[in-house]
Amino acid sequence: MSYVDLAPSARELRDVRYLFTDIDDTLTTEGKLLPQTYEALWDLSRVGIAVVPVTGGSAGWCEHIVRAWPVAAVIGESGAYCVTRQNGAVVFDYWEDATLQAERQRQHLQAIKELVSQGSKTFRIAHDQVFRLADVAIDIQGHDPREVEDLASSIRAIGGTVAISSIHINTWIGDYNKRSMSERVLTEMFGVDPDETAAVTAFVGDSRNDAPMFGFIRNSFGVNNIIPVLSQLQYAPKWVSSQPAGLGFADIAQTILDAAGAGSETSRQLLTEPAVMPARK
């Protein structure tokens, strides 16, 4: 395990009980989940560290992940909802009323389609849009960063919130993001006192849309492929792994496990099913 410049100390990480993480190009490597990365998720779960993926990914992805991966919850579509598994059933807790968010998405999708069709550059709505419940995703791979930023500016001009990841522009109508939903999950689902958040949480990310989480969580990590965009971030990770993507996540997970004394007797309680957040009106 090695880090660029600074490395975390065991003292800084010894109380971490909740690990939030991006998915694309953080957990995944060229779109695949490496065996080392998946094993790291299991290792964290076994010692009672709750893993919560925080992604711009679709409801379809979230449904699968919360069923098949050793995670406590998944925050999807950039904070539109949190997904948990309760007594075998998958439960979606929305930032606001589900019907309201769906109607906003319907109108915004039409506006984005019109905007994209008018542009001189060929952008496409993401292939998984049909599986999305609240946002609109646009593929950006292969496009010059200036083209991406121009489109993002045009979306903001029509009232859309924008987050740019390594693969998509994600856009929605609503006053939420990865950070705001993560704060809600910590307090309402896991019962964490806000005064304790800094000590008990960590976050791993790789791209521009992770900046709100880097600013929120003190114990913040970037995998190595974040380096090209560090200068563009309002908030940067405290530590950067020398390894990219899923290998970087595995190294970071081991650092956290070592700090927690994994493999020895510990006072941690194995994670039980999290509480369901109160319904939003």
Side-chain angles (χ1 to χ4, degrees):
M1 295 169 289
S2 60
Y3 291 85
V4 177
D5 297 327
L6 296 174
S9 67
R11 179 182 56 81
E12 291 171 293
L13 302 176
R14 64 188 178 191
D15 295 322
V16 170
R17 301 199 308 272
Y18 305 94
L19 177 58
F20 293 78
T21 177
D22 179 56
I23 294 180
D24 291 306
D25 297 319
T26 298
L27 287 177
T28 61
T29 302
E30 297 182 357
K32 302 293 185 182
L33 191 63
L34 299 177
Q36 301 97 312
T37 312
Y38 196 54
E39 184 63 27
L41 293 173
W42 275 104
D43 289 343
L44 292 161
S45 178
R46 289 185 186 110
V47 300
I49 295 176
V51 179
V52 182
V54 187
T55 178
S58 70
W61 272 102
C62 296
E63 169 90 12
H64 162 74
I65 289 167
V66 82
R67 287 186 183 276
W69 295 13
V71 299
V74 184
I75 294 172
E77 295 184 39
S78 302
Y81 46 74
C82 177
V83 190
T84 55
R85 194 172 183 185
Q86 302 289 331
N87 300 317
V90 173
V91 177
F92 279 72
D93 288 298
Y94 287 82
W95 180 258
E96 295 179 274
D97 176 74
T99 302
L100 173 64
Q101 290 189 215
E103 178 58 23
R104 286 174 175 170
Q105 183 210 41
R106 185 191 65 78
Q107 295 180 15
H108 196 46
L109 177 58
Q110 184 58 42
I112 295 300
K113 285 180 176 178
E114 293 174 4
L115 187 63
V116 169
S117 68
Q118 295 167 5
S120 59
K121 305 299 181 181
T122 306
F123 283 93
R124 297 187 179 185
I125 303 298
H127 70 280
D128 67 349
Q129 184 62 45
V130 67
F131 302 114
R132 294 178 177 273
L133 299 177
D135 80 348
V136 179
I138 304 162
D139 289 331
I140 62 171
Q141 288 183 311
H143 287 275
D144 185 277
R146 290 170 296 182
E147 298 172 1
V148 173
E149 192 52 53
D150 285 346
L151 178 56
S153 296
S154 297
I155 295 171
R156 294 186 188 103
I158 63 170
T161 300
V162 171
I164 302 173
S165 74
S166 57
I167 60 172
H168 290 143
I169 288 176
N170 294 95
T171 177
W172 61 92
I173 304 297
D175 186 22
Y176 61 82
N177 58 22
K178 287 184 173 184
R179 172 177 176 163
S180 55
M181 182 56 95
S182 296
E183 289 182 282
R184 180 181 288 179
V185 166
L186 279 167
T187 58
E188 296 186 12
M189 183 177 291
F190 294 120
V192 175
D193 186 320
D195 291 338
E196 298 178 355
T197 295
V200 303
T201 59
F203 175 72
V204 190
D206 79 293
S207 66
R208 292 168 61 182
N209 69 341
D210 294 319
M213 293 296 290
F214 293 138
F216 170 46
I217 292 183
R218 181 186 69 189
N219 298 317
S220 61
F221 295 84
V223 289
N224 193 261
N225 40 297
I226 199 173
I227 289 177
V229 300
L230 281 177
S231 63
Q232 303 171 36
L233 300 179
Q234 181 180 7
Y235 302 104
K238 186 173 183 179
W239 304 292
V240 176
S241 172
S242 63
Q243 293 292 322
L247 294 177
F249 178 87
D251 265 3
I252 292 164
Q254 190 59 54
T255 300
I256 293 170
L257 288 165
D258 289 347
S264 62
E265 289 191 14
T266 174
S267 61
R268 295 177 187 276
Q269 296 292 320
L270 290 178
L271 186 72
T272 57
E273 286 190 335
V276 177
M277 292 189 294
R280 301 288 149 184
K281 295 183 179 180

